[in-house]
Amino acid sequence: DAGVTQSPTHLIKTRGQQVTLRCSPKSGHDTVSWYQQALGQGPQFIFQYYEEEERQRGNFPDRFSGHQFPNYSSELNVNALLLGDSALYLCASSLGWGLTEAFFGQGTRLTVV
Amino acid sequence: GESVGLHLPTLSVQEGDNSIINCAYSNSASDYFIWYKQESGKGPQFIIDIRSNMDKRQGQRVTVLLNKTVKHLSLQIAATQPGDSAVYFCAEGSPNDYKLSFGAGTTVTVRA
């Protein structure tokens, strides 16, 4: 049973560029959430997708956008990258409505130079 | 705003001893709590969760205790092993809110 998979695992981008991160949820899960984890900090909620729509958004600027596909996989896009966007980006999948146990992927380490 | 925090940023434990990791939360509306373990270079790994209608839940070698009166959550690990060395996060969720709010984490180091 495949868990949550994210790609790529590491990425280096230049300030001002755009980046797309990808996530495949755990088999049977239909909800995908994205989190940003700065070094030494806990994960911070970016947004959640359910039924191909953004269901809830955290305190992140519009430069952060996402998408969910019919197969439940998801993308996180970040435009106009800033140095402060350097972080571990985590995808979590869960099932259905409400809060249930969420399983995380290994993350994508984004470095903006 | 709401916040979830841990009492101690680091915890050093002798192998074989029991570990207790504490977490304080401030949102009295939170009704779902979850503990994660994160090893270096990996994503958070689910350990155990508990809902607010319970005050204790047990898993394999782990127990979560919830005290809603003082808004306190703890994770107990029995017979701590070297593989338990990691950063532990508690997270909370509230009704009609789909996000999990995480604290800063407690780093647990197991001494041989």
Side-chain angles (χ1 to χ4, degrees):
Chain A
D1 177 26
V4 180
T5 58
Q6 292 186 241
S7 63
T9 55
H10 295 84
L11 201 53
I12 300 175
K13 287 287 190 178
T14 303
R15 191 171 46 184
Q17 286 188 314
Q18 178 265 343
V19 68
T20 298
L21 310 181
R22 296 177 175 82
C23 172
S24 293
K26 179 179 169 66
S27 178
H29 284 183
D30 57 6
T31 302
V32 173
S33 303
W34 287 92
Y35 289 80
Q36 180 194 66
Q37 186 177 24
L39 202 60
Q41 305 282 327
Q44 298 294 312
F45 177 78
I46 302 175
F47 41 54
Q48 185 182 88
Y49 278 84
Y50 175 69
E51 293 187 341
E52 301 180 50
E53 293 192 355
E54 183 183 288
R55 180 155 72 175
Q56 185 175 356
R57 187 179 185 89
N59 189 24
F60 279 80
D62 291 345
R63 299 186 297 109
F64 290 77
S65 63
H67 189 76
Q68 186 179 35
F69 299 94
N71 68 352
Y72 308 122
S73 66
S74 177
E75 289 182 349
L76 164 66
N77 300 291
V78 187
N79 294 322
L81 284 166
L82 303 174
L83 297 179
D85 295 331
S86 295
L88 181 67
Y89 288 86
L90 295 162
C91 170
S93 75
S94 55
L95 179 62
W97 193 259
L99 281 169
T100 58
E101 64 182 75
F103 291 85
F104 282 83
Q106 83 283 1
T108 294
R109 172 69 64 186
L110 173 65
T111 302
V112 182
V113 297
Chain B
E2 303 88 8
S3 66
V4 177
L6 298 175
H7 289 310
L8 292 174
T10 62
L11 179 67
S12 180
V13 183
Q14 185 69 38
E15 181 179 357
D17 287 352
N18 297 334
S19 304
I20 299 177
I21 307 166
N22 294 305
C23 179
Y25 65 95
S26 59
N27 184 3
S28 56
S30 292
D31 65 349
Y32 179 70
F33 304 89
I34 190 166
W35 282 98
Y36 285 96
K37 170 187 179 183
Q38 188 173 27
E39 297 173 278
S40 182
K42 297 184 179 180
Q45 176 187 354
F46 173 86
I47 301 173
I48 192 168
D49 60 359
I50 188 169
R51 296 198 178 271
S52 59
N53 60 350
M54 302 174 69
D55 53 21
K56 180 178 180 179
R57 192 169 185 216
Q58 290 184 293
Q60 186 176 7
R61 279 202 308 122
V62 295
T63 301
V64 56
L65 299 177
L66 175 63
N67 185 331
K68 296 180 288 293
T69 302
V70 295
K71 290 185 285 189
H72 182 269
L73 189 70
S74 68
L75 177 70
Q76 300 178 2
I77 304 173
T80 310
Q81 302 168 0
D84 295 327
S85 293
V87 179
Y88 289 79
F89 293 97
C90 66
E92 63 176 318
S94 307
N96 301 317
D97 191 356
Y98 303 108
K99 72 177 185 291
L100 290 172
S101 298
F102 285 79
T106 293
T107 300
V108 173
T109 302
V110 180
R111 306 188 307 272

